[in-house]
């Protein structure tokens, strides 16, 4: 059994993330989506809400499981016996950032393998930032997030205000 991790902030998970997760599920027997903390970010949704949004988004994908983890990705990698971490990139800026992350993780865990997957087509420009900006403008991100997760996103947002 091969297992891949798709880690991220997922603030919130978008249809672009789901596309990446499905690509990873074609390459590996099992995919663990890890909702984590990027210390350089301030989040709109707390970890538990990001986890719940991610769970609703991948609910139909049987070989995908979602967890939340507050620790380091290099430790989670060994704990799960992962074969790879899959991350998406949409452009050169993403790519350079991901290379930097991949190097850091590899330097601290020689077993760590990063697989970068190009996001093109329909979701090439979609980002969580765009979704948060739409929400801030009072727009409903119907196309950008999974329909199963939309009502939780809107409910949580009302509580924040
Ligand atoms: O969606 P993001 O914000 O690009 O995801 C980044 C994330 C959460 C995968 C990264 O920050 C991470 O691996 N966080 C877990 C803590 C960790 O391992 N930190 C060391 C590398 S910065």
């Amino acid at each position: 059994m091969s297992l891949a991790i798709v880690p991220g902030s997922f603030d919130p998970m978008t249809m672009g993330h789901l596309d990446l997760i499905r690509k990873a599920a074609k390459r590996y027997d099992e995919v663990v989506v890890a909702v984590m903390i990027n210390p350089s970010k301030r989040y709109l949704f707390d970890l538990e809400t990001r986890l719940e949004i991610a769970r609703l988004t991948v609910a139909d994908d049987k070989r995908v499981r979602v967890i939340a983890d507050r620790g380091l990705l290099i430790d989670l990698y060994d704990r799960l016996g992962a074969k790879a971490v899959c991350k998406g990139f949409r452009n050169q800026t993403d790519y350079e950032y991901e290379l930097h992350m991949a190097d850091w993780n590899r330097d601290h865990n020689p077993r760590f393998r990063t697989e970068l997957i190009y996001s093109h087509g329909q979701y090439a420009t979609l980002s969580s930032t765009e979704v948060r900006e739409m929400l801030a403008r009072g727009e409903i991100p119907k196309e950008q997030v999974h329909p199963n997760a939309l009502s939780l996103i809107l409910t949580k947002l009302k509580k924040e205000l």
Side-chain angles (χ1 to χ4, degrees), residues 7-10 36-39 41 43 71-74 87 97-98 101 104-105:
S9 293
F10 306 119
M36 301 189 82
I37 294 170
N38 179 340
K41 288 187 178 168
Y43 291 114
L72 288 179
L73 187 53
I74 48 173
K87 291 216 75 183
Y97 170 77
E98 293 303 341
M101 299 276 282
W104 191 92
N105 285 316

Side-chain angles (χ1 to χ4, degrees), residues 6 15-25 86-88 117 119:
V6 178
M15 293 304 286
H17 292 130
L18 181 59
D19 189 47
L20 166 69
I21 292 162
R22 288 181 172 157
K23 284 178 184 154
C86 296
K87 291 216 75 183
I117 301 181
S119 322

